[in-house]
Amino acid sequence: MMAPLGRGIAGPGGDTHPPVPPAPPFRILHVSTGNVCRSPITERLHRHALELRLGGPHCGGLVVESAGTWGHEGAPMEAHAATVLSDYGADPADFIGRELLDEHVIRADLVLTATRDHRAQVISMGHSAGLRTFTLKEFNRLVRAIDPATLPEPDPDLPDGGLVERARALVGAAAALRGWLLAPNPESDEVYDPYGAPITFFRSIGDEINQALDPVVTALTGLPARA
């Protein structure tokens, strides 16, 4: 009796291996207060950096989102925030502000906040968020201390390029380091709120965020920024 196709007998094409199903996406959630300044800048810069490293809009199963602890639900981002994104070549279009909800935290594999207060608010929501919630600058500091050789190598043969497994390993390694690699001072883990400030201050905050994201994106993708 012949075995049905797909159970060890080659089909007409001679392929004995069924396609590898894609892994669930790895969700990165950026959190600030109103979700109109810092977290939109961070979300869109993060997406832009991933697209530049990976050569297109398909980001290897990495999904980048944002929300605000006092989010202006349905609001556009601040005009100065959009200008900052345009300065970097990132796309500010079609952004819609969101209030941080339990479902956002539950779905997120990594939560990166603007400040320590935001981090505390996310963790206070529960959902075992403590080991996957960091301030952006805290995560930057921890990631720079992780040996890339200890992370899974990207695998172009996988549907997600192996980036989901690598991202999960990166978060675990960062959480393990947190108690050992402390900030030089509390303020060094903060990204201050530019709401209501002139464009010059928005640009300085954009530069802080962009610099903080660079080693994070390198660690996630295994690819340095293009010169």
Side-chain angles (χ1 to χ4, degrees), residues 118-151:
H118 296 133
R119 182 184 64 195
Q121 289 178 68
V122 171
I123 293 172
S124 74
M125 295 172 72
H127 314 301
S128 304
L131 292 178
R132 51 194 166 92
T133 303
F134 310 80
T135 76
L136 172 62
K137 288 188 173 181
E138 174 191 22
F139 196 65
N140 166 289
R141 183 177 70 252
L142 298 171
V143 159
R144 287 187 288 113
I146 295 169
D147 182 355
T150 65
L151 300 174

Side-chain angles (χ1 to χ4, degrees), residues 51-153:
E51 290 173 6
L52 289 177
R53 307 289 172 96
L54 299 173
H58 304 292
C59 294
L62 306 180
V63 176
V64 185
E65 305 170 310
S66 66
T69 55
W70 290 88
H72 298 188
E73 188 73 28
M77 73 174 74
E78 284 289 298
H80 287 340
T83 298
V84 168
L85 289 173
S86 296
D87 289 345
Y88 285 96
D91 185 5
D94 302 321
F95 179 84
I96 298 175
R98 303 191 304 177
E99 182 178 356
L100 182 67
L101 301 176
D102 289 270
E103 65 189 64
H104 301 146
V105 177
I106 290 168
R107 293 194 308 168
D109 298 287
L110 171 62
V111 183
L112 298 175
T113 69
T115 70
R116 292 167 295 147
D117 282 347
H118 296 133
R119 182 184 64 195
Q121 289 178 68
V122 171
I123 293 172
S124 74
M125 295 172 72
H127 314 301
S128 304
L131 292 178
R132 51 194 166 92
T133 303
F134 310 80
T135 76
L136 172 62
K137 288 188 173 181
E138 174 191 22
F139 196 65
N140 166 289
R141 183 177 70 252
L142 298 171
V143 159
R144 287 187 288 113
I146 295 169
D147 182 355
T150 65
L151 300 174
E153 286 291 328

